Amino acid sequence: MTTVKTLLALPGLRLRLRAGTGLLDRSVSRIYVTELPDPGRYVSAGELVLSGLLWWRGPGDSEAFVAALAKAGAAALAASGADSDGIPGDLVEACTRHGIPLLEVPADLSFSVVTERVVLALAAAGEGARKRLLSAATDDASVETLLERGRAEIGLPCWVVPATAPGDLVRRFVAAGGRAVEADDVSLRPVGGRNAVPWLLAIGGALTAAQAEIAEELAGLIGLARTRTDEVRAVTDRVLEPLLAALDEGGDPHAALTATGLRGDLRVVVARTEGTASARAILTELLPDALVGPAGELTWAIAEDNGEWPEDWTAATSASLAGVESLLPCRRVLIGISDRTPVSMLRGAKQVARYALAVAAERPGTIEVVPGGEIGMHRLLLAGAPDALRAALRQRVLGPLLTYDAEQGTDLVHTLRVFLECSGSPTRAARALHVHVNTLRYRIGRASELLGADLTEFTEQLDVYLALSAGS
């Protein structure tokens, strides 16, 4: 079990106890980073809360913050006074009053180091595979460090290839069903761990029996290192949760956005998987530099786009996921992407991404990635209207035509849609419907009579087309 006392003793962190001397036996389950003035709804019991005190502006600000931690059952608060000229006195008093141990983080120590060391300490208290990783690794047991060891011990180049990377190695790996591949030029091993998007360990040459044993060990350790990295990222990504909540609830997202560190223009990405809840794992693999929200029915990500977003991202992502479709743990992967948007329009971008996802769900493929830019403006606007309103507007505009088709067994509605989608050209519409142009003109004339509309006028064409689209 990891306790507050355990954290104080971690080498290299130099944490200093400022309040809560008699509370050091509290168990710590996780770590959560926040700069919100009232983080209570996002803190869970037993968490170590890490904060740079960006929410603190003056005496009195600490009371609400610490009271929220106490109500949520936080194990302790680790705070850095680098941006507040030291730990404020009212914070020490509030922690003492509410029974929250307060650990001061040295001003020269980055939060990423604190997070990684705490996650390692939590892992050390576990059993099984995590203990194996810690016993085999140094303090910097990164994938890069493990690969360096592998090169030295095996005597051949070693590198990791994500299964979403294009190229012959991935094709060989998929052809082998995700199992080991032995060849003169390269040997491939699946990296351990239950990850939605697998990795493979590539070694530059054929292996002897002894080298193969080392390779299996190395692949397992890399899998554990990947798991640790994913856990650290999950902690970091939690700063996105308040922003997503603010966008959904119509509140002011400014404070939550500031805490995320996102700058410039942004893109919103949303994913859903069918069969297993693996959308978050897939998005973290596809968007290594984005913030990714928690796993759920939908998983959201927000990424910076300051002109460097790949133009072929949609096609490349579709191709890479399709290439490893047989290795994915889900039946379908559906992704919607917003346009590049300024921060002020982020709420609208989230809605665009959500509708792009709905369009992806309507398509038949196993892998469907839809950018908002592919969807017509009228469809996006209609998507924001409630279902009941769209149905009412459709009936108001098209009611007589719908009734006529039902009674006569005709399909003037379809004829009218094709006519309008052909820019009102009788010749093009007749060709598309495989009828004579005079037949087409008769049908459009009959539709005009039923609707009481002049279908040669643009504004009336627009109303009718929106009504047609409201039912699709």
Side-chain angles (χ1 to χ4, degrees):
M1 181 176 67
T2 301
T3 64
V4 177
K5 186 176 182 180
T6 305
L7 302 183
L8 283 169
L10 289 178
L13 290 190
R14 297 173 282 124
L15 300 177
R16 176 188 173 199
L17 183 65
R18 298 294 303 275
T21 304
L23 304 171
L24 302 186
D25 290 332
R26 282 188 176 180
S27 175
V28 178
S29 59
R30 291 188 299 178
I31 181 170
Y32 173 50
V33 184
T34 186
E35 301 298 340
L36 295 177
D38 183 4
R41 64 187 294 188
Y42 303 104
V43 176
S44 302
E47 286 189 323
L48 171 70
V49 177
L50 183 60
S51 178
L53 307 184
L54 298 182
W55 48 266
W56 191 87
R57 293 291 181 268
D61 287 353
S62 299
E63 174 61 26
F65 184 88
V66 177
L69 301 189
K71 183 177 180 180
L77 169 63
S80 170
D83 295 314
S84 56
D85 295 325
I87 301 297
D90 69 322
L91 181 60
V92 177
E93 294 170 3
C95 287
T96 300
R97 185 164 54 253
H98 289 282
I100 295 292
L102 175 59
L103 314 180
E104 182 176 359
V105 179
D108 62 344
L109 193 62
S110 73
F111 276 15
S112 62
V113 172
V114 176
T115 299
E116 182 170 1
R117 296 295 174 84
V118 171
V119 170
L120 279 170
L122 294 172
E127 297 178 355
R130 291 184 179 180
K131 284 187 176 180
R132 182 184 176 196
L133 170 63
L134 293 173
S135 66
T138 63
D139 288 340
D140 182 24
S142 64
V143 171
E144 291 75 17
T145 299
L146 294 171
L147 287 172
E148 288 178 5
R149 291 180 183 177
R151 294 183 192 108
E153 295 184 8
I154 297 174
L156 292 171
C158 301
W159 67 100
V160 165
V161 181
T164 53
D168 179 61
L169 294 183
V170 173
R171 285 192 289 271
R172 292 197 218 179
F173 186 60
V174 173
R179 294 184 293 272
V181 175
E182 302 289 354
D184 291 338
D185 60 334
V186 66
S187 298
L188 303 176
R189 293 287 185 282
V191 167
R194 296 181 179 180
N195 299 97
V197 179
W199 284 3
L200 54 147
L201 170 63
I203 303 170
L207 303 179
T208 64
Q211 287 174 322
E213 290 182 4
I214 298 173
E216 294 292 344
E217 181 74 13
L218 179 60
L221 290 174
I222 289 173
L224 293 172
R226 182 186 185 187
T227 298
R228 187 193 68 179
T229 300
D230 289 346
E231 289 177 351
V232 172
R233 175 167 180 174
V235 171
T236 304
D237 281 353
R238 285 189 64 186
V239 300
L240 187 62
E241 294 178 39
L243 176 58
L244 294 174
L247 294 176
D248 281 339
E249 296 167 4
D252 182 7
H254 178 73
L257 182 64
T258 300
T260 66
L262 294 168
R263 299 290 185 271
D265 289 346
L266 305 171
R267 283 185 187 261
V268 180
V269 183
V270 60
R272 177 165 65 85
T273 53
E274 297 179 1
T276 61
S278 50
R280 172 178 163 79
I282 289 173
L283 283 186
T284 56
E285 190 71 20
L286 295 174
L287 300 167
D289 298 323
L291 288 174
V292 181
E297 181 181 357
L298 303 180
T299 296
W300 296 88
I302 298 182
E304 292 183 353
D305 180 4
N306 295 313
E308 298 180 358
W309 187 275
E311 292 185 4
D312 64 342
W313 192 86
T314 299
T317 298
S318 298
S320 64
L321 290 176
V324 293
E325 179 182 327
S326 61
L327 303 181
L328 297 177
C330 49
R331 292 191 300 271
R332 297 186 77 200
V333 179
L334 309 172
I335 298 176
I337 317 154
S338 77
D339 304 315
R340 177 181 176 183
T341 186
V343 168
S344 60
M345 299 181 181
L346 193 57
R347 184 173 284 111
K350 191 168 187 284
Q351 294 172 346
V352 169
R354 185 190 296 273
Y355 189 65
L357 180 71
V359 172
E362 295 172 356
R363 296 181 178 178
T366 304
I367 309 294
E368 293 289 356
V369 183
V370 177
E374 283 188 6
I375 305 169
M377 180 72 72
H378 66 285
R379 295 196 69 184
L380 290 173
L381 293 174
L382 286 170
D387 291 344
L389 175 60
R390 283 187 286 150
L393 292 176
R394 177 178 171 83
Q395 181 61 33
R396 186 182 76 181
V397 176
L398 300 178
L401 196 60
L402 295 169
T403 300
Y404 181 85
D405 275 350
E407 293 176 349
Q408 302 298 321
T410 56
D411 199 358
L412 290 182
V413 168
H414 176 64
T415 298
L416 185 54
R417 176 185 285 276
V418 173
F419 173 70
L420 294 176
E421 289 179 346
C422 290
S423 302
S425 167
T427 303
R428 288 173 53 196
R431 189 181 304 117
L433 291 167
H434 305 290
V435 299
H436 193 277
V437 67
N438 289 336
T439 301
L440 187 283
R441 287 195 175 99
Y442 169 78
R443 292 180 182 177
I444 295 303
R446 185 68 179 124
S448 297
E449 292 174 5
L450 290 167
L451 298 178
D454 183 356
L455 293 178
T456 64
E457 290 291 330
F458 172 74
T459 54
E460 297 202 37
Q461 287 180 343
L462 180 61
D463 284 346
V464 171
Y465 189 69
L466 287 175
L468 289 166
S469 300
S472 60

